[in-house]
Amino acid sequence: MSSTRREMPTIVRAVLVVALIYIFLVGVSSLEGGIKVMGEDTQERLFSSVSNPLAGLFIGILGTVLVQSSSASTSVIVGLVATGALGVDDAVPMVMGANIGTTVTNTLVSLGHVRQSQEFKRAFAAATVHDFFNVMAVAILLPVELVTGVLSSAAEKISEQLVGSAGSEWKSPIKQWVKEPVSWIQDGLDGLGASGNFLGTLMVVAGLMLVLLALTFITKNMRRLVADRIERSLNKVLGSGGGLVAMLLGLIITISVQSSSITTSILIPLAAAGVVTLRNIYPVTLGANVGTTITALLAALAASTPEALTVGLVHTIFNVSGILLLYPAKPIRNVPIRLAEGLAALAVDRRAYAVAYVFGAFIIIPVLGVAILR
Amino acid sequence: MVMSFFRKGESGLDLIAHRTITMLADARHSFDLASAAVLSGADPEDVGADIRETDDRINQAEQELRGDLVTHVAVHGSFEIGSVLSYTLLIKKIERIGDQAKNILDLADEGVSLAGHADTDEMLKIRRQISKMMTEAAELLSSENMEQAADFRDRCDSLRFELETTIREFMHSEQPGSFAVPRAILYRYWKRIVANLAGVVASATEPIQHQDYLDAGETDISDD
């Protein structure tokens, strides 16, 4: 019964991951460079629609649903903030939207169990508990942030301590390392005759492709690299309960694989089979929420302004604050669980509700929201 | 606990394989004790607690391993799905061996003692043979030596045939029921244990679709 799969040597895979992280940073930097090449009026036109915070929130949801990765969408947001064209205040709702959008992946995975009622009920509840928690966190923290600016102020203070005050230019060493390949991209496109907005657009597209491709392969390789560790620790931690240890495990796994979707999607078949309970899964998904913010922080290292790091930090602070607000008190902690169980019970009775929920929450409402509010 | 993520250690199917070997060792322990209660005059009450505790351990291991196998598929994907399905069959067979050992103890609990009879030595010989086969099966689970596995399964088939023949002789025996029935039941349990041992080794060496069957799927050996 031994496996016959031919595995790439660990050291080769590790070197590959480092190279992919470098490509990811080049992508973020190329994105920033592309926007900067565009004229100020073009930048103004591009980002004026997100000045409404709710529109920003819905764009964050839609963008993340489209790329199925909040790591990718928040990294792009960080890159845009680094250009100065997108302000921190406008980026914060988008980052919160990314948090909601990323939950679509495990919800889609749970639909794979739709033919077996009891399995589906458990799987769907395990998936949507993440949705409800994130929606509740946004419902509380977005208005608070809009009124007080507490999250962005806290992030700005940390950012100031680390890289300097807003408005200044930060000489990131990472930025220097990725400068050369970005100039190759720009020179190459320039050589093909592209200039002005067209050159900027091509650089943005190239940057987006590099970010998405690099993140996809980083996730794939890291998953292979740490799969045995994930398996071992899941068996140990989930077998003996949930709580803070499970949250920490979610954080570690997500940082390792650079994707909260991977972490939360792994849990769905376990929930479906009844191997772990909804209450054990819940803290793991919260840890994954925090873990996924590491990618945007990494992206901020390739940016040239402190504001980029501020946005990355807002994402982290938002998720940590959400946990601090909604997890410690048992009655509040149970709200997302009860909502998820209720929705799962409805979805089992009528499967169409599940499909309607996915389309409604992740596509129709955000599209309508953007169309109306922009 | 969460630090286990950072520590190096056995995981995946290797860990599951080692735990199945431990289960098999537990099953052998139960079998030896239960057989001693019937064949060597050991007090069923003395060995009963140990056998039940061991059986609980086997049952617990089976449940944990099922969960571990689901986790393995969830984390690694379906690449090793054949092995995972084989393990689910394998651990069930070991759990059944544990149950059958408990069934042998039930005979002793009912007052059956076959110690000091004319055929006791013959039965003790079979008990030793089966006990040794359990160790061999555990070794084959680790080594996955195909030739030795094939040889082992042939010997299991021969022994099963001998046990079946003896059971038939008891069914048509002129001896009183108090003589023939306990022996027929004991041989029947042994036969099932041997079939399960053959199945355990087949799980490690045969394709999933042919397990529990002989002659390319023609002969069902799991319900005889």
Side-chain angles (χ1 to χ4, degrees):
Chain A
M1 278 188 284
S2 57
S3 165
T4 52
R5 175 162 52 183
R6 285 185 63 169
E7 281 290 344
M8 190 187 287
T10 304
I11 184 72
V12 176
R13 208 179 276 284
V15 170
L16 183 64
V17 168
V18 173
L20 287 165
I21 291 172
Y22 183 76
I23 292 169
F24 165 75
L25 295 171
V26 169
V28 173
S29 199
S30 171
L31 188 79
E32 181 187 347
I35 297 282
K36 278 182 175 166
V37 167
M38 294 176 184
E40 269 186 25
D41 52 334
T42 311
Q43 292 178 10
E44 175 68 31
R45 270 204 314 277
L46 272 174
F47 299 109
S48 61
S49 61
V50 293
S51 54
N52 182 318
L54 279 178
L57 179 79
F58 290 131
I59 286 175
I61 297 175
L62 275 179
T64 307
V65 168
L66 199 68
V67 295
Q68 299 263 302
S69 163
S70 63
S71 298
S73 58
T74 52
S75 299
V76 170
I77 294 166
V78 163
L80 295 176
V81 170
T83 64
L86 183 69
V88 171
D89 291 346
D90 294 336
V92 170
M94 292 171 78
V95 163
M96 290 184 182
N99 236 49
I100 296 175
T102 196
T103 64
V104 74
T105 312
N106 65 345
T107 309
L108 288 173
V109 170
S110 74
L111 294 181
H113 297 273
V114 77
R115 286 176 186 277
Q116 301 286 332
S117 290
Q118 287 313 307
E119 271 191 24
F120 178 57
K121 193 175 177 181
R122 291 190 291 259
F124 199 65
T128 53
V129 73
H130 194 196
D131 307 6
F132 284 117
F133 177 87
N134 283 345
V135 170
M136 279 174 68
V138 170
I140 295 168
L141 289 171
L142 180 58
V144 170
E145 166 64 13
L146 291 176
V147 173
T148 65
V150 63
L151 298 178
S152 46
S153 301
E156 207 175 307
K157 283 209 172 73
I158 299 170
S159 182
E160 211 172 285
Q161 295 295 317
L162 294 171
V163 297
S165 54
S168 63
E169 185 153 347
W170 171 45
K171 295 264 182 234
S172 157
I174 305 272
K175 176 85 181 168
Q176 302 305 314
W177 294 340
V178 297
K179 210 172 171 182
E180 202 62 20
V182 174
S183 68
W184 294 340
I185 294 171
Q186 187 166 357
D187 293 346
L189 294 170
D190 201 22
L192 292 171
S195 64
N197 280 350
F198 185 55
L199 173 63
T201 308
L202 288 180
M203 282 185 71
V204 168
V205 171
L208 280 174
M209 282 172 63
L210 288 178
V211 165
L212 292 178
L213 281 174
L215 269 181
T216 304
F217 287 107
I218 288 170
T219 300
K220 233 175 194 170
N221 280 284
M222 283 307 296
R223 188 176 173 173
R224 280 276 176 83
L225 268 177
V226 298
D228 286 341
R229 291 170 191 271
I230 293 174
E231 183 179 352
R232 192 169 57 232
S233 45
L234 273 178
N235 283 335
K236 283 209 168 150
V237 173
L238 295 181
S240 40
L244 285 174
V245 177
M247 208 179 283
L248 200 56
L249 179 66
L251 174 84
I252 293 168
I253 293 175
T254 306
I255 290 176
S256 307
V257 298
Q258 298 275 304
S259 165
S260 61
S261 300
I262 295 283
T263 309
T264 54
S265 298
I266 281 173
L267 299 173
I268 300 305
L270 300 181
V275 173
V276 284
T277 64
L278 179 58
R279 278 164 208 280
N280 284 357
I281 279 176
Y282 180 35
V284 184
T285 62
L286 304 191
N289 265 352
V290 179
T292 197
T293 66
I294 197 83
T295 317
L297 294 173
L298 190 68
L301 295 178
S304 50
T305 61
E307 285 86 342
L309 183 60
T310 302
V311 170
L313 287 167
V314 166
H315 194 198
T316 312
I317 293 169
F318 163 68
N319 279 306
V320 173
S321 306
I323 292 170
L324 291 176
L325 279 173
L326 300 174
Y327 195 77
K330 205 174 173 187
I332 305 172
R333 185 196 312 163
N334 285 340
V335 173
I337 293 177
R338 297 243 166 81
L339 289 170
E341 284 172 339
L343 183 63
L346 277 176
V348 165
D349 282 344
R350 285 179 186 247
R351 309 293 155 97
Y353 287 171
V355 180
Y357 167 75
V358 174
F359 275 98
F362 295 102
I363 296 171
I364 297 169
I365 293 175
V367 166
L368 287 176
V370 173
I372 295 165
L373 299 167
R374 65 193 292 259
Chain B
M1 227 175 336
V2 79
M3 295 310 285
S4 60
F5 184 88
F6 298 103
R7 287 192 203 107
K8 275 197 165 185
E10 207 172 38
S11 61
L13 292 185
D14 290 339
L15 185 61
I16 289 166
H18 280 177
R19 290 198 65 192
T20 56
I21 290 168
T22 307
M23 275 178 83
L24 201 49
D26 277 339
R28 183 190 181 188
H29 178 68
S30 288
F31 171 79
D32 286 344
L33 287 178
S35 300
V38 174
L39 297 174
S40 308
D43 185 349
E45 272 195 27
D46 286 348
V47 297
D50 192 347
I51 291 174
R52 286 186 188 94
E53 196 180 299
T54 308
D55 192 53
D56 285 346
R57 207 162 54 231
I58 292 170
N59 293 345
Q60 181 69 29
E62 186 198 15
Q63 290 169 44
E64 285 172 9
L65 282 172
R66 283 184 194 169
D68 290 356
L69 287 166
V70 176
T71 308
H72 185 78
V73 175
V75 173
H76 290 267
S78 59
F79 181 77
E80 292 173 311
I81 193 72
S83 298
V84 168
L85 290 174
S86 292
Y87 272 114
T88 56
L89 293 177
L90 189 153
I91 57 179
K92 176 44 77 185
K93 287 178 201 304
I94 299 175
E95 190 270 336
R96 293 294 300 132
I97 293 172
D99 286 346
Q100 282 142 2
K102 219 165 52 177
N103 294 150
I104 293 172
L105 175 73
D106 290 341
L107 282 178
D109 278 338
E110 282 297 318
V112 172
S113 176
L114 304 178
H117 291 252
D119 55 352
T120 303
D121 282 348
E122 175 61 24
M123 288 188 281
L124 282 170
K125 199 177 131 198
I126 297 170
R127 183 205 72 78
R128 278 193 297 273
Q129 192 179 351
I130 295 172
S131 182
K132 198 176 153 223
M133 283 175 124
M134 290 193 188
T135 310
E136 266 187 80
E139 284 165 5
L140 285 167
L141 282 182
S142 328
S143 70
E144 294 183 26
N145 184 316
M146 298 294 277
E147 276 179 31
Q148 286 175 9
D151 174 61
F152 179 86
R153 293 179 65 204
D154 286 346
R155 282 189 283 126
C156 283
D157 287 343
S158 304
L159 182 55
R160 271 192 322 115
F161 181 74
E162 283 172 32
L163 294 169
E164 175 68 31
T165 308
T166 311
I167 292 167
R168 284 182 194 284
E169 283 169 11
F170 285 128
M171 284 165 69
H172 301 286
S173 167
E174 300 283 314
Q175 299 274 9
S178 59
F179 177 90
V181 171
R183 283 167 175 77
I185 292 174
L186 178 65
Y187 274 69
R188 165 81 182 154
Y189 289 142
W190 280 348
K191 193 186 135 198
R192 292 306 313 138
I193 288 172
V194 172
N196 278 320
L197 277 176
V200 163
V201 171
S203 304
T205 54
E206 293 297 305
I208 180 83
Q209 69 273 26
H210 292 156
Q211 287 170 27
D212 293 333
Y213 293 92
L214 291 175
D215 314 323
E218 290 296 316
T219 311
D220 182 353
I221 59 165
S222 61
D223 62 357
D224 61 354

